[in-house]
């Protein structure tokens, strides 16, 4: 959500940059340390008991991994005040050395390259309580209108290690995962994937879930409440998709009406992005006591059953009230965040720019091309240009919030430059096929787009992703002659731009140098296509 890789030495005390100061903990959290690099995640079984009355979690996480290189120390992460109580491998207790939230486990077993091994981490505690979920996340310990516990996790950026021990870096996704959550017997525990078993105990109930596909760590979630379930099936590109909805009992009728946006979302996004990436794990919407989040196959919802963003149109055009923002935006992340996932949070734009853009192409699919274009142009009012979209690598530092709508307008601008709508759709679907269930870097995404469009895009991406400069198109009109250039640009920025004279399409090819062209027709009718995210200045 939601709006609004490199190696670093573990002994580094701090990293200083023009963007601020980073600590050793930032480096341990945000870099691929030697104690992370030598082993590859294969499987988790997170087996926990959640007690809403005491606001505690206790249990264990079994980690199966494959040895890539011989090593004797393994790093896992768990944030205070949660505590690791014991680590076991092959029945033997292991020594754990802690450095803040990073925990280094000394292995006794010989780690043979290619072998699959397991450790079991036992832990417990009262996890950080969310201050303003999902932005300042953790555990949300709330009550519903009937006074029953209403509990949910949210942890993007903060890290999944805020509530469970794991390899808390995005570069390595676990291949599959089991989640067992024990909750008070009058409540339901909803997690990712498919429900395999419900185990009734004397005073509690344990829900056993299984995620068949790779999953990123912050995409793992647990939600607890007095839920009721309803469901439907969707005939999609890969067959029948189960779509399940878990909502508070007293919201059932509102949900049945509002969640009609879910199959509309699926239809639009399968058209534009390709098949939903997690058919094996189904699709869920789960009501939570905060706004919402893109948890994989378990999208959380708290938009109060209103269209728009809590009833507001973020574009100011009216189009934003045609859909429920959280259903569309958060489900869009199933393709860009959960299918295609950044390796380093500095590249979070890969999640948010494409998904913010997905709002407009949802509208385009259902209401026409101009509806989508008006919406994305309208979101420019929220762009601040305070700092670059790309953050600082290796220290768990994301870039500007402009990754949402500046990023969406960058993509919308690039689309104008592409030969046809069919080519654009092919590119979006191709991204989800090429990087299916993979973690990626900005450079990989840039290279793929440049190759598929057969365009030199280095300066284009440099301009919009790595600077706060918005190109300024300056122009002068004298009779049938127009003189023009770009200013406020990076070197070699030469994006062509569509214009209209007497309603007829023509093109400028500006650079940093002045150019003069003569056009037939009445040049006083000149209109610069507003779908390009540039500023304009008429000199005379």
């Amino acid at each position: 959500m939601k709006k609004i890789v490199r190696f670093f030495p573990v002994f580094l005390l701090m990293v200083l940059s023009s963007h601020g100061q980073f600590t050793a903990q930032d480096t341990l959290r945000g870099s691929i340390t030697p104690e992370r690099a030598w082993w590859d995640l294969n499987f988790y079984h997170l087996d926990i008991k959640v007690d809403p009355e005491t606001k505690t979690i206790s249990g264990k996480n079994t980690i199966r991994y494959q040895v890539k290189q011989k090593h004797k120390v393994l790093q896992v992460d768990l944030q205070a005040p949660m505590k690791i109580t014991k680590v076991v491998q092959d029945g033997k207790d292991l020594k754990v050395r802690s450095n803040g939230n990073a925990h280094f486990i000394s292995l006794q077993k010989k780690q043979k390259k290619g072998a699959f091994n397991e450790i079991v981490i036992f832990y417990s505690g009262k996890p950080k309580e969310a201050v303003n979920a999902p932005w300042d996340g953790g555990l949300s310990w709330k009550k519903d209108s009937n006074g029953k516990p209403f509990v949910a996790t949210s942890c993007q950026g903060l890290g999944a290690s805020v509530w469970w021990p794991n390899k808390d870096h995005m570069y390595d996704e676990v291949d599959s995962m089991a989640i067992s959550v024990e909750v008070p017997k009058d409540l339901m525990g909803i997690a990712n994937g498919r429900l395999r078993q419900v185990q009734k105990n004397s005073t509690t109930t344990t829900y056993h879930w299984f995620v068949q596909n790779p999953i990123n760590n912050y995409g793992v979630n647990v939600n607890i409440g007095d839920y009721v379930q309803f469901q439907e099936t969707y005939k999609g590109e890969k067959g029948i998709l189960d779509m399940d909805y878990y909502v508070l009992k007293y919201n059932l009728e509102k949900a049945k009406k509002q969640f009609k946006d879910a199959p509309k979302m699926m239809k639009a996004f399968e058209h534009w992005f390709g098949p939903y990436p997690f058919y094996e794990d189904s699709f869920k919407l789960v009501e939570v006591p905060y706004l919402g989040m893109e948890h994989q196959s378990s999208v959380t919802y708290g938009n109060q059953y209103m269209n728009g963003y809590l009833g507001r149109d973020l574009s100011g055009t009216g189009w934003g009230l045609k859909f429920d923002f959280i259903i569309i935006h958060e489900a869009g992340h199933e393709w860009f965040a959960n299918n295609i996932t950044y390796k380093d949070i500095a590249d979070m734009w890969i999640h948010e720019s494409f998904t913010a853009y997905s709002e407009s192409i949802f509208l385009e699919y259902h209401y026409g091309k101009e509806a989508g274009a008006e919406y994305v142009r309208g979101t420019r009012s929220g762009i601040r240009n305070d700092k670059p979209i790309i953050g600082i690598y290796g220290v768990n530092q994301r870039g500007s919030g402009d990754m949402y709508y500046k990023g969406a307008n960058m993509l919308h601008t690039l689309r104008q430059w592409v030969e046809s709508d069919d080519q654009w759709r092919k590119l979006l679907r191709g991204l989800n096929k090429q990087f299916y269930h993979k973690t990626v870097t900005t450079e990989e995404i840039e290279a793929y787009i440049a190759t598929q469009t057969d365009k030199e895009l280095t300066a284009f991406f440099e301009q919009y992703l790595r600077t706060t400069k918005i190109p300024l198109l300056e122009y002068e009109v004298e009779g049938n002659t127009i003189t023009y250039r770009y200013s406020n640009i990076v070197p070699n920025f030469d994006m062509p731009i569509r214009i209209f004279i007497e309603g007829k399409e023509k093109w400028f090819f500006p650079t940093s140098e002045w150019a003069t062209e003569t056009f037939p027709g009445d040049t006083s009718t000149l209109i610069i296509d507003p779908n390009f995210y540039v500023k304009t200045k008429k000199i005379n």
Side-chain angles (χ1 to χ4, degrees):
M1 217 221 140
K2 251 76 314 168
K3 207 168 265 6
I4 9 42
V5 224
R6 302 185 173 102
F7 289 87
F8 289 81
V10 296
F11 56 81
L12 188 63
L13 294 179
M14 63 182 61
V15 179
L16 296 176
S17 78
S18 60
H19 297 266
Q21 180 172 294
F22 300 103
T23 68
Q25 285 298 303
D26 295 323
T27 300
L28 287 171
R29 171 80 170 82
S31 64
I32 305 174
T33 63
E35 292 80 11
R36 283 173 169 160
W38 68 269
W39 57 285
D40 183 63
L41 278 171
N42 175 247
F43 176 75
Y44 286 135
H45 181 192
L46 180 61
D47 186 0
I48 60 174
K49 179 178 182 179
V50 182
D51 188 340
E53 184 175 345
T54 60
K55 297 184 178 180
T56 59
I57 295 176
S58 60
K60 61 184 178 180
N61 186 26
T62 300
I63 303 176
R64 184 188 306 146
Y65 62 92
Q66 185 175 27
V67 179
K68 296 169 63 179
Q69 300 170 348
K70 292 182 179 180
H71 209 287
K72 297 298 281 184
V73 180
L74 180 151
Q75 178 185 339
V76 296
D77 305 278
L78 183 66
Q79 298 179 32
M82 302 298 287
K83 293 183 178 180
I84 293 175
T85 56
K86 183 170 63 171
V87 180
V88 176
Q89 185 167 59
D90 293 346
K92 297 179 180 179
D93 289 0
L94 301 180
K95 182 179 178 181
V96 180
R97 176 180 61 85
S98 297
N99 183 347
N101 299 326
H103 308 278
F104 299 91
I105 301 166
S106 296
L107 304 171
Q108 299 177 22
K109 180 178 180 178
K110 186 174 182 180
Q111 304 295 306
K112 297 180 180 179
K113 186 175 181 179
F116 287 88
N117 296 325
E118 286 187 357
I119 59 172
V120 183
I121 302 174
F122 296 83
Y123 78 109
S124 62
K126 183 179 289 189
K128 175 185 180 295
E129 190 163 351
V131 176
N132 184 28
W135 304 277
D136 189 351
L139 266 288
S140 295
W141 304 98
K142 304 293 184 181
K143 301 279 189 179
D144 67 18
S145 296
N146 294 326
K148 291 193 172 184
F150 192 21
V151 180
T153 62
S154 59
C155 55
Q156 186 180 17
L158 174 63
S161 56
V162 73
W163 65 279
W164 62 287
N166 62 90
K167 187 180 192 178
D168 206 0
H169 193 288
M170 297 290 286
Y171 87 99
D172 188 9
E173 291 188 343
V174 71
D175 298 331
S176 60
M177 182 172 185
I179 305 169
S180 301
V181 54
E182 183 180 354
V183 301
K185 67 177 182 179
D186 58 339
L187 302 175
M188 295 179 70
I190 312 303
N192 311 78
R194 291 186 182 271
L195 184 62
R196 286 190 163 181
Q197 182 185 2
V198 178
Q199 176 186 336
K200 294 188 180 296
N201 314 309
S202 58
T203 60
T204 62
T205 303
T206 305
Y207 292 82
H208 297 277
W209 299 84
F210 189 81
V211 183
Q212 186 170 329
N213 290 290
I215 185 169
N216 67 59
N217 44 33
Y218 84 83
V220 176
N221 73 337
V222 167
N223 311 288
I224 300 164
D226 186 20
Y227 290 122
V228 63
Q229 176 194 13
F230 67 103
Q231 59 188 168
E232 62 184 323
T233 57
Y234 177 80
K235 294 181 179 179
E237 291 194 14
K238 289 179 68 174
I240 300 299
L241 173 64
D242 295 322
M243 301 182 71
D244 298 299
Y245 310 112
Y246 292 87
V247 301
L248 296 177
K249 289 178 179 178
Y250 51 78
N251 286 330
L252 178 60
E253 294 308 315
K254 287 191 291 186
K256 286 182 176 179
K257 179 181 178 181
Q258 193 71 6
F259 287 6
K260 289 179 180 179
D261 265 2
K264 289 177 65 178
M265 170 279 300
M266 197 64 68
K267 189 172 185 180
F269 290 165
E270 284 211 328
H271 171 83
W272 282 109
F273 298 151
Y276 172 69
F278 308 107
Y279 271 73
E280 300 85 354
D281 293 323
S282 77
F283 174 85
K284 292 189 291 299
L285 280 177
V286 186
E287 186 173 1
V288 290
Y290 62 87
L291 186 60
M293 193 71 198
E294 67 258 27
H295 303 110
Q296 183 173 308
S297 75
S298 181
V299 172
T300 49
Y301 175 86
N303 203 39
Q304 300 179 21
Y305 300 98
M306 294 188 288
N307 277 3
Y309 181 97
L310 292 172
R312 295 186 293 116
D313 175 11
L314 296 179
S315 76
T317 64
W319 289 113
L321 297 178
K322 295 290 186 181
F323 62 93
D324 187 308
F325 176 91
I326 290 299
I327 294 175
I328 304 310
H329 180 94
E330 302 309 336
H333 277 305
E334 294 281 42
W335 286 264
F336 291 96
N338 299 335
N339 185 38
I340 303 173
T341 308
Y342 57 68
K343 276 186 165 71
D344 190 300
I345 199 172
D347 290 332
M348 187 175 168
W349 78 272
I350 297 168
H351 294 197
E352 300 300 350
S353 297
F354 282 96
T355 305
Y357 177 70
S358 77
E359 299 157 26
S360 66
I361 61 174
F362 169 85
L363 283 167
E364 178 174 339
Y365 184 86
H366 290 289
Y367 297 97
K369 189 171 183 178
E370 187 54 30
E374 286 180 12
Y375 177 87
V376 72
R377 295 196 305 263
T379 62
R380 293 175 188 172
S381 62
I383 298 172
R384 296 172 296 175
N385 281 310
D386 56 343
K387 58 183 179 179
I389 287 176
I390 292 178
I392 310 301
Y393 292 98
V395 289
N396 195 43
Q397 178 71 24
R398 64 187 183 185
S400 169
D402 283 345
M403 69 180 75
Y404 291 84
Y405 290 127
K406 182 180 178 182
N409 275 279
M410 176 191 72
L411 295 172
H412 186 64
T413 297
L414 179 60
R415 179 183 180 179
Q416 313 311 311
W417 196 4
V418 170
E419 291 179 5
S420 68
D421 292 343
D422 286 342
Q423 185 185 7
W424 184 243
R425 179 182 174 221
K426 182 179 179 181
L427 186 151
L428 294 174
R429 291 173 66 94
L431 280 166
N432 278 282
K433 184 177 181 180
Q434 176 70 22
F435 300 109
Y436 185 74
H437 293 175
K438 291 182 179 179
T439 59
V440 300
T441 64
T442 287
E443 289 75 18
E444 289 175 298
I445 297 298
E446 289 178 350
Y448 181 85
I449 293 174
T451 298
Q452 295 303 307
T453 58
D454 194 26
K455 299 184 186 302
E456 172 50 62
L457 296 175
T458 302
F460 175 86
F461 286 121
E462 185 74 17
Q463 180 83 33
Y464 288 105
L465 292 177
R466 298 177 178 87
T467 80
T468 58
K469 297 178 179 180
I470 302 304
L472 176 64
L473 178 65
E474 301 175 288
Y475 66 98
E476 181 178 7
V477 180
E478 291 185 2
N480 284 24
T481 299
I482 303 176
T483 302
Y484 58 87
R485 73 169 183 181
Y486 279 133
S487 61
N488 202 39
I489 56 173
V490 301
N492 302 316
F493 184 87
D494 60 355
M495 177 180 72
I497 189 166
R498 185 188 295 115
I499 64 170
F500 298 93
I501 297 176
E502 294 183 337
K504 296 180 180 178
E505 177 185 307
K506 301 182 184 300
W507 287 81
F508 282 165
F509 296 89
T511 66
S512 60
E513 302 295 326
W514 288 105
T516 299
E517 290 190 59
T518 299
F519 294 90
D522 182 3
T523 54
S524 68
T525 66
L526 170 68
I527 296 175
I528 298 167
D529 191 339
N531 289 303
F532 289 78
Y533 182 44
V534 299
K535 294 181 178 180
T536 61
K537 179 181 179 182
K538 187 176 181 181
I539 295 175
N540 61 347

